[in-house]
Amino acid sequence: MRQTEHTAIVLRYANYRDNDRMLTLFSPTRGRIEALARGCRRPKSALLNASELFALGDYECYERGGRMTVTSATLIETFYPLRADFDRLACGTYLLNLAEAAVQPGEPDQELFMLLLHTLSRLTFSDQEWKPLLAGFLLHYAACQGTKPRLNHCVHCSKRLTETEQVYFDQAEGGLCCHDCHTQGQTAVSVAQARWMRHALETGASAWVNEPDRYAPFTLLRGFVESRVDKPIRVASMLPKE
Ligand SMILES: [Zn+2]
């Protein structure tokens, strides 16, 4: 038996027996952790709030035979106001689902962890629109996954793309292509949208909000990212209508 402590956020839970829950935690240093929270559904349980979706905390666990059990938890943040707004709750759950699709047991991912916390904080505590927030998340998520879209050169002919030309998004190739190389069915990307994406990637995961929000190509980035994750993101159907 071994006692360990993990700063982590709850990505998912499954109710178990009468009062227990199996938590799927995301730790920036340990990746995905499955941990049993015994008795957490009892109204007076000390683990009650730490066993909810979005709960961020320090989880003390003991490990035995490869299984983890939560013994105590200190809450850092619950992102509670998300629950008061159905649309923002759906957006937040979408972020958790995408994170879950990416994190692997035993594989640290500090960058994705910080990206998730930043975006959840903005979604919960700012009045920023959800669409550019999620678009920024998707762009940086792709970068974390090693599939950063190519935005400066045509993915077919490698020509340098200028700031002012009409470009298109080639989902299969993972980036922009020029007018000469584009084929039917590829999404046209406006000059402003291309600029928004380049700027968002260059300024890093915490500063992308500075560009005018209305240019964020959310639908395009969503199609791109969701086509590259292994399992369908079910909650995506509950996202607010644009
Ligand atoms: Zn080209």
Side-chain angles (χ1 to χ4, degrees):
M1 193 175 104
R2 182 161 88 96
Q3 197 78 25
T4 51
E5 192 183 322
H6 312 279
T7 301
I9 184 166
V10 177
L11 297 180
R12 175 182 296 278
Y13 63 73
N15 287 335
Y16 183 62
R17 294 207 197 107
D18 284 346
N19 293 303
D20 304 346
R21 248 173 206 180
M22 187 59 84
L23 307 180
T24 301
L25 299 170
F26 174 14
S27 144
T29 52
R30 287 273 304 253
R32 182 194 177 111
I33 297 171
E34 306 288 337
L36 181 65
R38 269 210 187 96
C40 70
R41 288 154 68 206
R42 287 197 182 95
K44 284 185 181 163
S45 168
L47 297 177
L48 186 71
N49 293 327
S51 304
E52 294 291 344
L53 283 186
F54 305 104
L56 169 71
D58 290 323
Y59 293 82
E60 290 236 24
C61 302
Y62 73 80
E63 292 182 58
R64 190 160 50 187
R67 287 174 189 239
M68 284 238 215
T69 304
V70 181
T71 50
S72 71
T74 310
L75 266 177
I76 299 169
E77 180 55 63
T78 61
F79 299 100
Y80 193 78
L82 271 186
R83 289 152 181 78
D85 180 330
F86 183 82
D87 285 348
R88 284 175 109 79
L89 181 63
C91 290
T93 312
Y94 180 66
L95 301 179
L96 294 188
N97 284 195
L98 281 170
E100 191 192 355
V103 290
Q104 303 297 325
E107 287 184 18
D109 200 336
Q110 196 87 40
E111 221 180 318
L112 180 61
F113 187 77
M114 291 317 293
L115 175 66
L116 178 64
L117 295 195
H118 269 304
T119 317
L120 279 178
S121 297
R122 288 232 171 91
L123 198 60
T124 311
F125 303 113
S126 81
D127 52 11
Q128 214 195 326
E129 256 192 277
W130 65 270
K131 214 165 67 167
L133 270 178
L134 265 55
F137 178 88
L138 288 164
L139 200 53
H140 288 281
Y141 177 91
C144 289
Q145 298 298 97
T147 55
K148 179 157 86 176
R150 290 185 64 190
L151 302 175
N152 295 317
H153 296 86
C154 171
V155 291
H156 293 286
C157 70
S158 295
K159 182 186 89 146
R160 170 120 198 137
L161 300 167
T162 67
E163 284 268 311
T164 51
E165 71 185 282
Q166 170 71 65
V167 287
Y168 301 81
F169 196 81
D170 187 321
Q171 189 168 297
E173 293 295 324
L176 298 178
C177 68
C178 70
H179 187 76
D180 293 340
C181 296
H182 96 279
T183 52
Q184 248 192 350
Q186 286 174 351
T187 312
V189 175
S190 71
V191 166
Q193 285 177 323
R195 193 189 305 128
W196 188 92
M197 288 195 285
R198 290 182 189 119
H199 179 82
L201 267 185
E202 279 163 16
T203 49
S206 57
W208 74 75
V209 287
N210 300 335
E211 277 286 286
D213 290 342
R214 62 185 182 282
Y215 301 131
F218 167 69
T219 308
L220 181 150
L221 290 168
R222 183 184 158 189
F224 171 62
V225 164
E226 287 183 26
S227 72
R228 279 165 164 74
V229 295
D230 291 342
K231 53 180 185 176
I233 306 293
R234 283 207 200 94
V235 73
S237 63
M238 289 161 70
L239 288 174
K241 299 278 172 282
E242 287 180 65

